[in-house]
Amino acid sequence: MALVSCIGLAGPTASGKSAASLAIAQRWPVEIISVDSALVYRGMDIGTAKPTAAELAQVPHHLINILDPLQSYSAADFVRDTTRLVGEINGRRRTALLVGGTMLYFKALLVGLDDMPQADAAVRASIDARAAALGWPALHDELQRVDPVTAARLPPLDSQRIQRALEVFEVSGRPLSSFQTGRTHNPDSPLAPEHLISLEPRDRAWLHARIAQRFDAMLAEGFMIEVKRLRARGDLSTDLPSMRCVGYRQAWDLLDAYGNTLKPAQVAELRELGVAATRQLAKRQLTWLRSMPQRRVIACDAPDALACVLESVQTLLGAPT
């Protein structure tokens, strides 16, 4: 069978992607490319469920621990780096296995990117100041007036996306929706749409239980120590993409509100907020996935989920050697 240049393994958070990717790597000659906007950052290990040192040693991984949390990493950066890495991995007669849950990255690779305005720090600061004074729902109302198409798909508290949509309008004078061309395929993509395997639950309650278990495990492993270490640097804030990651943002805000030592009731509040935010993330991830009709869907809550993943990989790569 001819070499498939790359395979995608997507799914919402806590759907079992990491375990499945390692099982694939034990059977076929692959190298893993992380499709995760949080795993790129050094020092953010527990809250991102980053692979352990032992797991990283089992198979080559790429796009993990490549940036300091002060830096930013865009979908365009991901497409550029991944396209280069797929070529290098194929040159070693191996298949690139793209694994993660940052659906914007998958979509950028599969569909391509629209030529949108660059970020403007001054404009963002102005938007953040208005949000601090008025609240994000008020800015969502503002977005509704200038870009109703984008506002209709964003919840009133989705601060990161509301901020970006308003920024694009203020920088360019055009709504964000006018830059989104509705393309369905990028002919230059190294990933074919039919080579995307998607782990999706039949029962949302199953996923919610795993999300709660994962957050409890993070807290037990020292997540708050990790966040305090990042805060102690003195040069990070929730204005940065790294610190807006789910879990980190909620922990940071509670430490701002209550001080550097949280009482048990405040830790319980963090758990509630973190689990709720992670559920919302999973909901958005599933919405993204449903916009990719050619994906191969596997029920991640089925008893034979891993066997089904391996069977799908075998149809693409042939039997393990």
Side-chain angles (χ1 to χ4, degrees), residues 15-314:
S15 59
K17 299 182 297 296
S18 296
S21 69
L22 292 174
I24 293 168
Q26 289 172 358
R27 292 163 173 81
W28 286 276
V30 302
E31 296 185 24
I32 294 173
I33 298 177
S34 169
V35 189
D36 191 303
S37 60
L39 295 190
V40 297
Y41 294 113
R42 294 185 290 270
M44 295 173 59
D45 303 328
I46 297 172
T48 62
K50 190 174 290 180
T52 65
E55 290 169 337
L56 291 172
Q58 289 181 37
V59 56
H61 285 71
H62 304 275
L63 301 187
I64 294 179
N65 292 330
I66 61 171
L67 295 178
D68 184 84
L70 267 178
Q71 298 173 284
S72 61
Y73 193 72
S74 69
D77 294 328
F78 171 79
V79 170
R80 179 200 64 226
D81 290 344
T82 295
T83 301
R84 171 182 55 81
L85 285 165
V86 169
E88 294 173 357
I89 292 167
N90 292 168
R92 294 188 282 272
R93 300 300 300 165
R94 301 169 77 86
T95 295
L97 178 60
L98 279 58
V99 183
T102 299
M103 302 308 165
L104 176 60
Y105 288 3
F106 272 120
K107 192 160 188 178
L109 195 65
L110 287 164
V111 176
L113 291 165
D114 298 304
D115 188 19
M116 288 191 290
Q118 295 292 313
D120 186 305
V123 170
R124 286 195 172 190
S126 173
I127 294 168
D128 284 342
R130 298 205 303 275
L134 304 172
W136 284 106
L139 268 70
H140 185 270
D141 292 342
E142 183 180 325
L143 181 63
Q144 175 66 39
R145 292 191 292 272
V146 300
D147 187 356
V149 173
T150 300
R153 63 178 179 81
L154 297 182
L157 294 177
D158 193 343
S159 58
Q160 185 172 353
R161 290 172 177 81
I162 293 170
Q163 179 199 59
R164 177 57 177 158
L166 287 172
E167 176 191 32
V168 167
F169 180 79
E170 293 184 22
V171 169
S172 68
R174 291 172 53 191
L176 174 66
S177 54
S178 72
F179 289 92
Q180 296 169 338
T181 60
R183 288 177 300 201
T184 59
H185 179 56
N186 171 20
D188 298 321
S189 173
L191 177 63
E194 61 272 18
H195 293 171
L196 178 64
I197 300 168
S198 181
L199 294 171
E200 301 175 28
R202 297 167 302 182
D203 179 5
R204 196 71 63 88
W206 177 90
L207 187 66
H208 289 174
R210 284 175 60 93
I211 286 171
Q213 290 166 5
R214 173 177 284 188
F215 207 88
D216 288 339
M218 285 165 41
L219 290 172
E221 290 167 15
F223 174 56
M224 290 308 300
I225 295 173
E226 181 172 271
V227 176
K228 290 177 185 178
R229 186 182 303 121
L230 291 164
R231 284 168 62 90
R233 288 178 38 156
D235 57 353
L236 302 176
S237 74
T238 51
D239 293 333
L240 295 165
S242 59
M243 294 300 104
R244 288 201 294 262
C245 291
V246 168
Y248 292 89
R249 177 63 180 263
Q250 289 73 32
W252 197 287
D253 287 346
L254 286 181
L255 289 170
D256 279 345
Y258 295 126
N260 210 41
T261 302
L262 298 184
K263 298 177 180 177
Q266 294 159 354
V267 174
E269 181 181 357
L270 169 60
R271 181 190 185 275
E272 180 180 351
L273 292 170
V275 168
T278 309
R279 285 184 178 186
Q280 287 298 312
L281 170 62
K283 183 179 179 180
R284 293 195 300 271
Q285 290 169 317
L286 288 166
T287 299
W288 274 102
L289 284 166
R290 293 187 185 114
S291 72
M292 304 174 186
Q294 291 173 279
R295 73 197 188 283
R296 299 167 178 247
V297 179
I298 291 173
C300 55
D301 51 346
D304 61 346
L306 180 57
C308 291
V309 169
L310 298 176
E311 182 179 343
S312 289
V313 173
Q314 183 165 325

